[in-house]
Amino acid sequence: MPAARTGRRAARGAWFGAALAALITAVALSVIVGANPLHPGAVLDTVFGGGSAESRFVVWEQRIPRTAAGLAVGAALGVAGALMQAFTRNPLADPGLLGVNAGAAFVVAVGITFFGVTSPLGYVWLACAGALLLTVAVYAIGSAGGRAAGPVRLTVTGVAIGAVFAGLTTGLTLTHPDAFDRMRGWSAGSLLERGVDVVLPVLPLVLVGLALALWAAPGLNSIALGADVARSQGVSVRRIQLVTLAAVTLLAGSATAVAGPLVFVGLVVPHVVRWTLGTDQRRIVLGSMVLGAVLVLAADVLGRIAVLPSEMPVGVVTAFVGAPVLIILVRRRSATAL
Amino acid sequence: MSSPTRPPNSPLQAAGLGVRYDRRSVIDDLDLAVPPGSFTVIIGPNACGKSTLLRALAGLLPAASGTVLLDGRDIASYPAKDTARRLGLLPQSAVSPEGITVAELVARGRYAHQRLLRQWSVADEAAVTDALRLTDVADLATRRVDELSGGQRQRVWIAMVLAQQTPLILLDEPTTYLDIAHQIEVLNLLHDLNGQGRTVVAVLHDLNHAARYASNIIAMQDGRIVAEGPPATTITAELVAEVFGLANVVISDPLTGTPLVVPADTRRPHPVAAGN
Ligand SMILES: Nc1ncnc2c1ncn2[C@@H]1O[C@H](COP(=O)(O)OP(=O)(O)OP(=O)(O)O)[C@@H](O)[C@H]1O
Ligand SMILES: [Mg+2]
């Protein structure tokens, strides 16, 4: 038996090794591949301080910030999905269930329609505000009547309020054609033109969200055994749930703010991680962080070269990759390991 | 009914305890002191409030009135991890996440002993190994919990509580689902743990097991304690008739001399087939 357990540990080590190798490859490709046909050698030269003025601009102002954005968005969505699935104890939950995306989209639509906001940085702040607004609303309504808001109440409230805001957003964009055009670009989910000015402000939010997720993971492990067991093991169930909610808001909110609503990443990534790494939330959070970043970066690189000379938004690519995986998941009978 | 004499140094007491779900009161003004080092068994009919009492004693349900005292202090005043290092509980129903292995599940009992930056220590490993061995599930360590039999699963859950290494262990119907041999095995395990100095409080439905293993019986009815004390004096035909509404005789267990409850034969005779 100890032999079997060490075997398992070795397998997990190999998993993280492979995932990190994939991550490094994805980062390298994201810096090297692009619409602008720079030679890989020239890119490498530029990264280490050389290069022409043009290649310096492409690499330092466009590709590296865009890669950082992909890393942050992918890690954030992967972990937000893992937290939502643990929080709701539903293996098919995704960060959008709490309505965070819908809230972000609504406030972005309001900004575009009534205040003429057009820059990605403007969208970032609007989306963050929307995510926060919606979480507070869901929490306030979910715990109305003086009763503690459990996962089920919060999720149902989130779905309901999210639907209302999605409807409002649709109504708004349908009645304002030029806003509709700009929303269309944002809501496909894209990393195009995400420069340092867009990535930098949300980076601290993502880091805090990831730290909270890791902090909550051991408690979520116990909560998976039932609230009574968790409490008698010394877990402050309320506190862990609040921290989890806060982390989901920070992570899903900032990811949506940077890239628009990306579907499937938060749903599929934690699932694949659970198949391969088991049920420990600490490992699931870490694994989802790495795999989420790999998926988003790979999808973004694919989108850059799939339909040259134009680009396919990363959100469309993740949907193409995610949909088949989702169908396989649903068809598998034991798709539910939590 | 408050008894005037209380054992000193009781690790777990209730004083004027009232517990309610929403507006419905289940337990009202209950006094209780678990004797230190005892094997206390709670008996009583379905829905009389045994699980509710156990959960309140473990600090999982807030007291609507009165207090629960853990080591002499209000249980509500302890930080959660502090309680969990003194008292472990196996609830009546627990869920296991799909795909979790036995070793992983048992390891989760170590939560209260872990720090954020020290997730796994030699002490954790030793506690889990001990718990697996004591409950005789070491051979199952790498198996998935959802692929075990009900009895194996029950022993794994007990192992998880043992891994918590608390001086006080509360178990709600730990022998349910077990065949007779494994019931005796689990009870012997609790007896051994009790012999090593741990105080054990268990809800049991089998009165004869309760009579044989308990050092202290608590009989409940409608959220009240109706009898308390050693089995020989508490488990009587009158008590069983009153609490369970069951006609019975109590004889002496031929092996241990403890009370043995034999239900009266209350079968209705079969109707004689007519027309023959
Ligand atoms: N979560 C709950 N919410 C509301 N009422 C509850 C809850 N749990 C138990 N009750 C009620 O409290 C009463 C006592 O239930 P409890 O579970 O304590 O009984 P018990 O003695 O453990 O029964 P059993 O032998 O069937 O396990 C019952 O009437 C039950 O319906
Ligand atoms: Mg019960």
Side-chain angles (χ1 to χ4, degrees):
Chain A
M1 206 118 24
R5 275 160 86 183
T6 20
R8 215 171 268 265
R9 210 164 292 159
R12 285 199 294 265
W15 191 97
F16 275 104
L20 282 177
L23 184 63
I24 291 167
T25 313
V27 167
L29 285 176
S30 175
V31 175
I32 291 169
V33 177
N36 200 318
L38 287 179
H39 189 269
V43 172
L44 214 62
D45 197 30
T46 314
V47 169
F48 292 107
S52 65
E54 195 207 340
S55 73
R56 273 207 300 279
F57 176 77
V58 169
V59 171
W60 285 105
E61 301 292 316
Q62 295 184 331
R63 291 198 189 157
I64 289 183
R66 182 172 181 163
T67 304
L71 278 174
V73 166
L77 285 177
V79 172
L83 292 180
M84 267 313 280
Q85 292 175 7
F87 179 73
T88 58
R89 302 173 71 173
N90 177 351
L92 292 179
D94 105 344
L97 276 189
L98 281 179
V100 174
N101 291 350
F106 174 71
V107 177
V108 169
V110 168
I112 290 176
T113 313
F114 298 115
F115 301 98
V117 178
T118 51
S119 70
L121 183 59
Y123 299 163
V124 163
W125 295 121
L126 290 174
C128 284
L132 186 70
L133 182 86
L134 199 109
T135 306
V136 171
V138 167
Y139 201 80
I141 295 173
S143 45
R147 292 186 58 179
V152 175
R153 275 168 72 103
L154 285 178
T155 310
V156 172
T157 313
V159 169
I161 300 185
V164 170
F165 275 91
L168 289 177
T169 307
T170 309
L172 209 57
T173 49
L174 284 181
T175 48
H176 296 77
D178 47 327
F180 177 75
D181 275 348
R182 274 192 239 109
M183 267 311 274
R184 214 176 42 179
W186 184 80
S187 61
S190 170
L191 290 174
L192 187 65
E193 285 171 11
R194 277 17 177 213
V196 185
D197 56 332
V198 174
V199 180
L200 225 46
V202 294
L203 221 47
L205 302 181
V206 172
L207 289 178
V208 171
L210 294 177
L212 290 180
L214 283 172
W215 184 83
L220 287 172
N221 271 342
S222 289
I223 291 174
L225 309 177
D228 269 6
V229 173
R231 275 195 205 98
S232 63
Q233 289 185 342
V235 178
S236 311
V237 175
R238 294 289 298 148
R239 190 188 303 166
I240 297 284
Q241 286 178 340
L242 281 177
V243 168
T244 305
L245 269 188
V248 170
T249 305
L250 285 171
L251 293 170
S254 37
T256 308
V258 170
L262 289 191
V263 287
F264 287 118
V265 179
L267 171 62
V268 167
V269 164
H271 236 298
V272 173
V273 173
R274 273 202 307 273
W275 279 349
T276 43
L277 284 183
T279 55
D280 189 331
Q281 295 297 335
R282 294 168 297 185
R283 287 196 287 271
I284 293 174
V285 165
L286 282 173
S288 301
M289 206 183 286
V290 181
L291 215 60
V294 171
L295 177 60
V296 168
L297 282 180
D300 186 42
V301 171
L302 210 61
R304 289 180 217 170
I305 52 176
V307 287
L308 283 172
S310 76
E311 271 208 18
M312 191 182 280
V314 61
V316 177
V317 182
T318 54
F320 274 134
V321 178
V325 177
L326 181 65
I327 291 168
I328 296 169
L329 285 181
V330 175
R331 289 179 59 94
R332 268 175 55 119
R333 270 203 52 212
S334 61
T336 47
L338 251 182
Chain B
M1 52 154 289
S2 63
S3 49
T5 53
R6 288 263 162 255
N9 307 325
S10 166
L12 194 57
Q13 308 176 51
L17 178 67
V19 187
R20 49 185 57 220
Y21 292 109
D22 289 326
R23 238 148 245 115
R24 210 163 63 83
S25 168
V26 174
I27 291 172
D28 191 35
D29 194 23
L30 180 144
D31 290 294
L32 162 74
V34 174
S38 69
F39 189 156
T40 294
V41 172
I42 302 174
I43 58 173
N46 289 138
C48 73
K50 303 179 297 295
S51 298
T52 303
L53 175 61
L54 214 60
R55 295 176 69 215
L57 287 175
L60 302 183
L61 287 174
S65 57
T67 45
V68 171
L69 300 172
L70 174 61
D71 293 327
R73 230 178 81 195
D74 185 352
I75 196 165
S77 71
Y78 286 91
K81 278 194 174 182
D82 229 1
T83 312
R85 283 191 290 262
R86 295 164 192 255
L87 178 155
L89 168 80
L90 180 62
Q92 189 168 359
S93 55
V95 282
S96 65
E98 221 180 301
I100 194 170
T101 64
V102 169
E104 267 184 299
L105 182 70
V106 175
R108 291 193 182 175
R110 297 298 294 168
Y111 181 86
H113 300 271
Q114 292 167 339
R115 297 276 164 279
L116 186 57
L117 297 176
R118 190 182 54 71
Q119 284 288 320
W120 200 244
S121 67
V122 179
D124 292 331
E125 185 70 42
V128 169
T129 310
D130 271 3
L132 289 171
R133 186 176 45 77
L134 282 171
T135 49
D136 199 21
V137 289
D139 290 343
L140 306 175
T142 56
R143 293 270 302 275
R144 289 169 55 135
V145 174
D146 45 27
E147 290 171 354
L148 300 180
S149 77
Q152 292 173 320
R153 210 174 292 163
Q154 188 70 6
R155 282 182 290 149
V156 169
W157 283 109
I158 295 174
M160 185 190 77
V161 177
L162 291 188
Q164 206 168 324
Q165 292 192 314
T166 53
L168 195 56
I169 301 179
L170 276 49
L171 308 100
D172 200 347
E173 300 191 24
T175 54
T176 309
Y177 301 122
L178 302 186
D179 67 40
I180 180 97
H182 279 119
Q183 288 183 29
I184 296 299
E185 207 171 281
V186 163
L187 289 167
N188 284 345
L189 168 64
L190 298 181
H191 176 80
D192 291 344
L193 292 168
N194 180 235
Q196 293 159 16
R198 303 200 212 201
T199 304
V200 177
V201 181
V203 173
L204 294 179
H205 273 302
D206 189 315
L207 298 181
N208 297 329
H209 289 165
R212 182 180 282 194
Y213 283 88
S215 62
N216 182 46
I217 293 278
I218 293 175
M220 287 185 73
Q221 186 180 16
D222 291 334
R224 289 171 297 113
I225 294 178
V226 290
E228 195 177 352
T233 55
T234 41
I235 299 192
T236 60
E238 297 75 48
L239 180 92
V240 173
E242 181 203 327
V243 171
F244 293 94
L246 177 75
N248 73 101
V249 293
V250 169
I251 59 174
S252 170
D253 184 325
L255 296 180
T256 58
T258 49
L260 191 67
V261 178
V262 181
D265 187 356
T266 49
R267 289 176 298 174
R268 277 184 293 273
H270 284 166
V272 180
N276 253 346

